[in-house]
Amino acid sequence: MKQINIAIIGAGMIGAAHASGYRSHQARLSTSQQQFVLHTVCDARESAAAELAAVWGFAHVATDWQAVVNDPEIQVISIALPNFLHAEVAAAALKAGKHVLCEKPLALTAKEAWDLTQLAQQSDSICGSVFNYRRIPAVAQIKQWVDSGEIGNLQHLLIQYQCGYAADPQLPYSWRYRQQTAGGGALHDIGAHAIDIARFIAGDVETINGACSSITIPQRFVALGANAGHNHVALSNKRETVDTDDIASCVMRFTSGCQGLFSASRVTVGMGNTLSFTLTGSTGTIQFNSERPGEFQISRFGRENGAFVTVPNQPAFPYLSQWIPVPHDGVAIGYAESFGFMIAEFMQAVSENRPYRNGTFSDGFAVAQILEAIQRAAEQQRPVAIRELTF
């Protein structure tokens, strides 16, 4: 029997999401001919790697990502590391012939993302960017309805990702607050997801017509010891300057002519982790909020008489009948399930040795272009065409 051995590099908060996804679909996607094996968790903090491996059933623990990438027993690499390591580790994994699922943003700059995308296209590896919000069944259904003309020609998209994790000034300084290691702040950390969803449902972006960003907490205390995720830990008296945005906003123009308003904030008190959008077409409007991921609202000209109706999850929606244990009307879906759907799609592509198409490295590059265009528009106070960031 052929074994497909999986390694996760990065045992932090998002590494656990990867581990959960592989564990959830490992048995379902294994066959009598080939079996997916939870092989290795790698992290520089051996104790973190050991804990994640024990919780989710991985057989081995490692602390050297280069050794894992070059291990001939491993076929699949999931990259769940800080932003500045994504491109380096992904490139090394591709050169070693591994299949790669890489966290967003794909790279710190559009040029790095372009180079990585070219490397992926020249390899035989199956590659994917982590854009899990596409797999929320309601969002996937909205995409199908938009493509079929359910709300007519697209006119306007209001999309925002709001979090409150950084609103507390006592949260310690980390790589997220340094441009050299994060690329951007709220823009790259959470805004990348919103930008991907904007492209997913409304198409390619042509121009950033206006942008601004703010740093609302200009300094943060350095932790006394190691810290991971968004945890509060004991702080020293030393402060470091924050040079990544806490809030970023822009006006967008899509190639279709649709207008867009985008914002990302990591300091919005009360909005724990919320992606929301309102999409307006010539014959209707659709609303979605990730706090209620099992439904969306729609109003169509001549059908709802100007009011919104709620459309709950239905078995016919993408992913529901195939991947959840109880495919029934109104069954709730959470973050872990949608992340798992993405992992399952990636595992299927690996199993069948075919391209992974729903969130490619090319999509990761396109998002990197837009993120950098927003930064450039905010810094230079001018419109920036996406074509300025082609290579």
Side-chain angles (χ1 to χ4, degrees):
M1 178 187 294
K2 177 183 176 182
Q3 288 192 354
I4 302 174
N5 293 326
I6 298 163
I8 296 174
I9 302 178
M13 176 178 62
I14 204 64
H18 285 251
S20 171
Y22 286 117
R23 180 72 175 183
S24 295
H25 297 284
Q26 171 196 19
R28 187 195 300 256
L29 291 173
S30 293
T31 67
S32 57
Q33 286 76 43
Q34 61 183 15
Q35 182 180 19
F36 284 97
V37 176
L38 307 182
H39 192 277
T40 298
V41 175
C42 176
D43 197 284
R45 303 161 300 149
E46 186 172 9
S47 60
E51 180 179 358
L52 192 67
V55 168
W56 296 106
F58 282 72
H60 304 284
V61 171
T63 57
D64 181 354
W65 68 260
Q66 291 173 318
V68 171
V69 162
N70 291 307
D71 187 341
E73 290 191 2
I74 293 171
Q75 288 77 44
V76 173
I77 300 285
S78 250
I79 300 171
L81 292 164
N83 296 356
F84 67 97
L85 291 170
H86 291 177
E88 179 185 4
V89 178
L94 289 172
K95 291 173 183 177
K98 312 302 185 186
H99 305 302
V100 179
L101 182 64
C102 184
E103 270 296 331
K104 56 76 203 162
L106 187 60
L108 293 186
T109 68
K111 178 62 167 63
E112 286 182 347
W114 169 254
D115 290 343
L116 190 58
T117 300
Q118 295 305 296
L119 182 61
Q121 291 177 352
Q122 293 161 12
S123 76
D124 294 325
S125 298
I126 294 159
C127 305
S129 295
V130 172
F131 291 132
N132 52 292
Y133 285 89
R134 294 176 174 222
R135 276 75 177 193
I136 296 175
V139 173
Q141 184 63 39
I142 289 168
K143 162 70 171 172
Q144 289 188 2
W145 280 12
V146 167
D147 287 351
S148 67
E150 192 71 23
I151 60 170
N153 297 323
L154 299 187
Q155 297 175 338
H156 188 267
L157 172 66
L158 169 63
I159 188 162
Q160 51 191 350
Y161 203 134
Q162 296 170 291
C163 286
Y165 70 81
D168 186 349
Q170 297 303 304
L171 194 75
Y173 184 81
S174 73
W175 63 266
R176 285 184 170 84
Y177 303 104
R178 184 169 178 245
Q179 188 165 357
Q180 189 175 346
T181 51
L187 181 62
H188 283 61
D189 195 21
I190 54 178
H193 280 304
I195 292 296
D196 178 66
I197 292 301
R199 291 187 66 250
F200 183 58
I201 60 176
D204 288 330
V205 175
E206 182 176 85
T207 309
I208 303 301
N209 288 312
C212 60
S213 63
S214 303
I215 299 173
T216 63
I217 302 176
Q219 291 187 322
R220 290 186 181 270
F221 290 102
V222 176
L224 283 172
N227 65 294
H230 306 305
N231 296 328
H232 287 81
V233 296
L235 303 175
S236 70
N237 292 324
K238 181 182 177 182
R239 295 174 185 256
E240 291 283 358
T241 298
V242 174
D243 66 355
T244 56
D245 58 276
D246 290 321
I247 304 169
S249 305
C250 77
V251 177
M252 300 183 288
R253 173 77 70 175
F254 294 85
T255 55
S256 65
C258 179
Q259 296 183 34
L261 289 175
F262 156 85
S263 68
S265 169
R266 62 187 180 189
V267 291
T268 306
V269 176
M271 302 295 287
N273 187 63
T274 306
L275 170 67
S276 62
F277 61 82
T278 300
L279 180 63
T280 300
S282 55
T283 61
T285 299
I286 293 174
Q287 295 180 329
F288 172 80
N289 189 308
S290 67
E291 289 187 333
R292 299 181 65 86
E295 64 185 41
F296 63 91
Q297 288 71 44
I298 188 168
S299 178
R300 289 161 289 193
F301 184 77
R303 294 183 63 175
E304 279 80 35
N305 297 318
F308 281 93
V309 297
T310 296
V311 182
N313 277 349
Q314 302 166 14
F317 283 10
Y319 304 106
L320 289 178
S321 61
Q322 183 178 8
W323 296 119
I324 66 169
V326 185
H328 193 276
D329 287 354
V331 170
I333 289 294
Y335 180 91
E337 287 94 342
S338 63
F339 203 100
F341 299 157
M342 175 194 66
I343 295 285
E345 283 189 337
F346 180 67
M347 293 171 75
Q348 276 188 316
V350 170
S351 175
E352 298 168 11
N353 194 31
R354 59 171 172 77
Y356 174 85
R357 303 189 184 281
N358 192 13
T360 63
F361 272 24
S362 293
D363 290 314
F365 165 62
V367 169
Q369 283 181 296
I370 297 166
L371 295 176
E372 196 164 324
I374 293 170
Q375 289 179 313
R376 189 176 294 188
E379 292 166 0
Q380 301 177 6
Q381 290 297 288
R382 67 173 179 88
V384 174
I386 301 303
R387 66 174 178 273
E388 292 184 29
L389 293 156
T390 54
F391 306 97

